[in-house]
Amino acid sequence: MTDQPTIAIAQINPTVGDIAANVELIRDARAKAQELGCDLVMTGELVVSGYPPEDLVLKKSFQTAVKDAVLDLAQLTLDGGPGLLISAPWIDDAHLYNAALLLDGGKIKAVVPKCALPNYGVFDEKRLFTPGDQPGAVTFRGIKLGVMTCEDMWVPDVAQTLMKDGAEALLVLNGSPFELGKSHIRIDLARERARETGLPVVYVNQVGGQDELVFDGGSFVMNESGEIKVQLPVFESRIEPVSFGWDNDTLAPQPGMMVDILDDNEAIYKALVLGLKDYVNKNYFPGVMIGLSGGVDSAITAAVAVDALGPDRVHCVMMPSPYTSKESLEDAAEAAQLLGVKLDTIPIQPAMDAFDGLLREQFVQHAADTTEENIQARSRGLILMAMSNKFGYMVVSTGNKSEMSVGYATLYGDMCGGYNVLKDVYKTRVYQLCAWRNAHYTGGLLGPQGTVVPERIITKAPSAELKPDQTDQDTLPPYADLDDMLYCLIEKEMPVADIAARGYDLETVQRVWRMLDRAEYKRRQAPPGVKITSRAFGRDRRYPLTNGFTA
């Protein structure tokens, strides 16, 4: 390696299972790095297979295809250009490892299995992989590298072992999904490892959407004192060279690209955009179908869709009932006009009348109740799914986390869809995102600049409009209170009594808890959606459907 080695950070967007496309991304990154005179290209975690591969990684033919791809990539390095530090599921002595692999001179120079396998939240690697032993440093062109994979950095012993074995830098390959506040956690942990070992840290994270997870990138490099010298942007692919010098026999990263960490609302919005974009594109949908009601949730969902896919790939449908207000009709039309999307209007009165006739004999002695309200929602769901079947566009549902928490949604109605952008977004945050998007426009968004959510949609009282003069607060606490209670119940797992001690009526908190508990069966049947909090519904929070615990 040269006196001033250069590592190319390959912050790229792989697709789980698309080994050929992932290899092509690595090839392209290496070609660019070679043009820049780099010595080594470093990627994120399991870049060859895509991350997380889940049980796909147990398929023998998949394991073989991954191995063949790694051997082909090794052949690239015969030309004397940059080496490759990549990651792949790897079989060794009949054990399956999550392994980093160093490729150089046409060979696999080192295999470094991941030691610390996460088994919490969305991670369950212990059921898939064998943990590796404490690793030793690997030598690459005269420099000893301490190679770690993601969770290995979250514990101190792996870095300490590498330092004691003579490592001159810590290189961490990551598949770390986005959630609020996590970028600061990563930096703090890397800083701890740097200061404990006296070694610089190169942290490479993948970028892109994979089902519910969004990987935000945000790769960085810091010196042995924990000072960040290079900070890459989030939510975008990037090949960035990082040069190193020597300072008293210590590898010293030279100053490079520095970008600011995004504020919460911009980070969430970009996560939603990337999550939807990659889910639609990686699954080859031509576009998306959205029921546009004139309410705030469907309006911001449509805005995210347009920013992700462009207006030509977003088809909105307004489905008014006799209870739909004139204002909602106007607001939906204005939202569609601002976004430049197609808007069809299909009244559901004929469907309501048809079901009234079908069920008249059975319901004759029963007063109207939520049954008739749910028929309205399911009529709309049927229309959206029919149009999805006919035109191939995926339906995006529009329920937020507050509604999904308390069951304020109708199975086979407004819960219909292939994806839900707002699944992990509380209602109060929905309003914040509307205000942020109306006031901001950043690179990479495909929608128009300026206002995209009409002001009246933001300021009017939220309502499902399933009966006359209905508002959400007829049956729910104010959203500011509800969201705080839900945050305490879901993210914090606080007892009901402790939540009431924050100033809430105990009976109200108990009612919210009961609603949360009873709605689990609905959430099990809900479409996937972007994870943005520490406790999203799904693999993050696995509650039983049948549950007799009440406190």
Side-chain angles (χ1 to χ4, degrees), residues 70-84:
V70 170
L71 294 174
D72 287 345
L73 286 168
Q75 291 298 302
L76 281 181
T77 64
L78 279 169
D79 62 3
L84 288 168

Side-chain angles (χ1 to χ4, degrees), residues 99-175:
L101 301 107
L102 179 63
L103 314 181
D104 196 33
K107 299 179 180 179
I108 301 173
K109 291 287 190 179
V111 178
V112 185
K114 184 177 183 178
C115 298
L117 300 179
N119 201 50
Y120 57 86
V122 299
F123 305 107
D124 51 5
E125 291 190 24
K126 287 185 178 180
R127 68 183 291 271
L128 299 174
F129 298 109
T130 300
D133 297 328
Q134 289 288 326
V138 299
T139 301
F140 175 72
R141 300 182 187 180
I143 294 178
K144 298 189 77 173
L145 304 175
V147 177
M148 301 189 291
T149 299
C150 206
E151 196 79 7
D152 290 342
M153 190 191 76
W154 291 59
V155 296
D157 55 331
V158 180
Q160 290 283 348
T161 300
L162 291 167
M163 180 267 292
K164 292 174 182 176
D165 196 46
E168 295 170 281
L170 300 175
L171 276 58
V172 192
L173 299 81
N174 297 272

